[in-house]
Amino acid sequence: MTTRREVERAVWHSELEPPARLLVLALLSKSDNDTAIVPPEFTPSLTTLEAMTGLSRSAIGEWLNAIEDAGWVKRTRPPAGSRTARTTYSLLIGSPTATRRSRDERKPRKKAATSTPGGPPNDGDASGFGSAPSGLVRQADHSTSTPGGPELVRQADSTSTPGGPAPLTLLPTEGESPQKHSPGAKKPRRVTDDDPDFAAFWSTYPRRTDKGHARTAWASAVKAVEPAVIITGAEKFAARCTRFQTEQRFIPHPSTWLRGERWADEPEAAPRANGHQPFMNPTDADAYGGTL
């Protein structure tokens, strides 16, 4: 009985064309080590073989016939009408070469194709080897081609730079839109305790608590507003808190103040027309226009 290793060694020393060699090796990867038989639970479908080899379904069918004719594989097909059973494969050591069946032996095509010298025409079979510019394509034979069919070549990518393929571009993941940065847009800046602007704001604000959230809110605020504007607003707010002797518990956290854009608050309203105004510190002469 032929082992998987013996069949694999025979493939490497054969003259099989690349598609035939690739198909035999793909089936071998599913086979048992001692018998080179593909167990029923590991029998690949045509869809699986397409994914493993990169060949089209029609090309896989033609090359399966070729390697079976050459004695590399024995197929046992399920009975007609069966919907669950699959074709089983037994790998063997076959002829050094495998030739695809002539067009007369293949299934008739609806559209006739013109042949090219040296091998089969460059028709629908080429789809089995990929499509330009990045896949394998079937190229017409030339005078130096060996008998037996066309050879596989990789077509150059028209967008590639000389010496290699074009660089890969990472695409956004699902649900994520590409970020567009205009030339004048500000880049996000990383805020630390050493940031002089944040340090100036922190030392000015009248309630220094929850510093971590304050750093985060500061980083968001300075994306749209100059730090000097925010610092000036904090100085005015601190002055009002001192003037009215506002208790710490009534002063918002710095992160809350920043997220609310409180530096843009309008000045306090003038005293009411009837002369009454909210209670202020009596010791502050300026609170009542200089008269007490």
Side-chain angles (χ1 to χ4, degrees), residues 213-242:
H213 288 140
R215 274 197 302 266
T216 303
W218 173 268
S220 299
V222 296
K223 292 180 182 178
V225 181
E226 291 296 330
V229 175
I230 302 176
I231 296 171
T232 301
E235 291 173 348
K236 293 179 179 180
F237 179 70
R240 286 199 299 270
C241 291
T242 301

Side-chain angles (χ1 to χ4, degrees), residues 128-206:
F129 298 91
S131 57
S134 59
L136 294 175
V137 298
R138 187 178 299 285
Q139 190 179 57
D141 284 345
H142 46 77
S143 58
T144 59
S145 297
T146 57
E151 64 181 19
L152 298 177
V153 297
R154 186 170 295 280
Q155 186 174 2
D157 189 343
S158 59
T159 62
S160 298
T161 55
L168 295 176
T169 301
L170 295 178
L171 298 178
T173 58
E174 183 177 355
E176 179 184 6
S177 58
Q179 295 183 356
K180 297 181 180 180
H181 297 283
S182 59
K186 291 186 177 181
K187 296 182 179 179
R189 50 188 268 180
R190 187 169 178 266
V191 178
T192 64
D193 289 340
D194 297 331
D195 187 308
D197 293 329
F198 176 72
F201 166 77
W202 184 254
S203 62
T204 300
Y205 194 76

Side-chain angles (χ1 to χ4, degrees), residues 77-79 82-87:
R77 295 173 175 82
S82 175
R83 295 186 178 182
T84 57
R86 291 183 176 181
T87 301

Side-chain angles (χ1 to χ4, degrees), residues 58-59 61-63 65-66 99-109 119-121 123-125 138 148-150:
S58 60
E62 293 178 0
W63 283 108
N65 290 334
T99 305
R100 290 192 297 175
R101 297 175 184 177
S102 65
R103 292 201 169 268
D104 294 337
E105 298 174 310
R106 301 180 196 174
K107 184 178 179 179
R109 299 179 183 272
D123 57 7
D125 292 346
R138 187 178 299 285

